[in-house]
């Protein structure tokens, strides 16, 4: 029992900090750079991604283990996973449009882009590649999405502060954001000793 908890804890630390999906694997850069202008919108995107990635990890793991593998249809995993992710994103979009309309407007075009966010599909495929059990896959999905949320909220906080800084004209806008993201990636390398 304690060995299982240790394995799950190791997966959590590795997925969220050591192999951060954005800063180490460079997946999900579109929403990371596009929605990180304000902390509120970044946190909303993070919460949407937490739901989608965690749920997609669970559903894709179940489909892979109980449908694709027994029927020897594992070659269809990418197509099936994309369909599952698209369905989950549509659910999130409908929910936000009805109940949290302000966040729905702030996220704008980036909300449907979760469907094509390579981080979501990447987590589902990596769970299969790493031969995680259903529970390990869910923990990996949750930790990965929490790591994404941590990174996007930190970047949003830094961008809000940088807005009032005096920077050279050639660094204003996206060049400064990319430089900041690169420095964050270097900082996250420090977590590699936690493995």
């Amino acid at each position: 029992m304690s060995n299982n908890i240790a394995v799950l804890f190791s997966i959590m630390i590795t997925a969220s900090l050591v192999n951060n999906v954005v800063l180490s694997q460079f997946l999900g850069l579109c929403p990371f750079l596009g929605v990180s202008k304000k902390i509120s919108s970044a946190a909303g995107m993070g919460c949407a991604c937490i739901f989608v990635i965690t749920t997609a990890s669970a559903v894709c793991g179940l489909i892979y283990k109980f449908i694709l593998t027994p029927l020897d249809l594992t070659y269809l995993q990418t197509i099936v996973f994309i369909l599952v992710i698209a369905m989950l994103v549509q659910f999130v979009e409908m929910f936000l449009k009805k109940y949290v309309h302000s966040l729905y407007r702030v996220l704008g075009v980036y909300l449907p882009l979760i469907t094509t966010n390579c981080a979501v599909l990447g987590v589902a495929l990596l769970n299969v590649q790493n031969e995680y059990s259903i529970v390990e896959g869910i923990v990996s999905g949750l930790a990965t999405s929490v790591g994404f949320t941590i990174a996007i909220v930190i970047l949003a906080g830094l961008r809000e502060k940088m807005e009032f800084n005096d920077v050279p004209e050639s660094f204003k806008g996206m060049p400064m954001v990319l430089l900041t993201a690169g420095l964050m990636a270097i900082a996250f390398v420090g977590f590699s000793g936690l493995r």
Side-chain angles (χ1 to χ4, degrees), residues 35-52:
V35 186
S36 60
K37 292 179 183 170
K38 299 273 183 223
I39 291 177
S40 57
S41 59
M45 176 59 84
C47 290
C49 282
I50 286 173
F51 175 78
V52 171

Side-chain angles (χ1 to χ4, degrees), residues 24-194:
S24 294
Q25 299 177 12
F26 307 112
L27 297 173
L29 289 175
C30 180
F32 177 67
L33 297 173
V35 186
S36 60
K37 292 179 183 170
K38 299 273 183 223
I39 291 177
S40 57
S41 59
M45 176 59 84
C47 290
C49 282
I50 286 173
F51 175 78
V52 171
I53 293 175
T54 305
T55 309
S57 296
V59 173
C60 291
L62 290 168
I63 289 173
Y64 185 82
K65 182 173 183 176
F66 295 112
I67 297 175
L68 296 179
T69 302
L71 296 176
D72 197 29
L73 298 173
T74 55
Y75 59 90
L76 293 175
Q77 70 185 11
T78 304
I79 295 169
V80 171
F81 292 175
I82 289 172
L83 292 173
V84 167
I85 292 164
M87 177 193 68
L88 289 171
V89 170
Q90 286 301 310
F91 174 75
V92 169
E93 189 172 4
M94 289 186 307
F95 177 82
L96 290 179
K97 189 173 185 179
K98 183 165 181 138
Y99 296 108
V100 193
H101 195 71
S102 60
L103 181 59
Y104 174 78
R105 276 188 284 107
V106 168
L107 293 178
V109 70
Y110 293 101
L111 187 58
L113 282 178
I114 295 175
T115 304
T116 59
N117 185 346
C118 52
V120 182
L121 180 61
V123 171
L125 293 174
L126 284 172
N127 288 343
V128 169
Q129 181 182 349
N130 293 332
E131 298 179 358
Y132 286 155
S133 68
I134 304 296
V135 173
E136 290 171 343
I138 292 170
V139 168
S140 172
L142 176 64
T144 300
S145 56
V146 167
F148 175 83
T149 304
I150 290 169
I152 196 171
V153 168
I154 289 173
L155 183 63
L158 291 171
R159 284 181 78 173
E160 283 185 2
K161 297 288 184 191
M162 287 187 303
E163 190 175 315
F164 303 107
N165 291 350
D166 185 29
V167 295
E169 191 64 35
S170 60
F171 279 100
K172 286 187 178 177
M174 195 52 68
M176 192 61 159
V177 173
L178 292 173
L179 183 63
T180 304
L183 291 172
M184 286 175 58
I186 291 169
F188 268 67
V189 169
F191 290 117
S192 61
L194 294 176

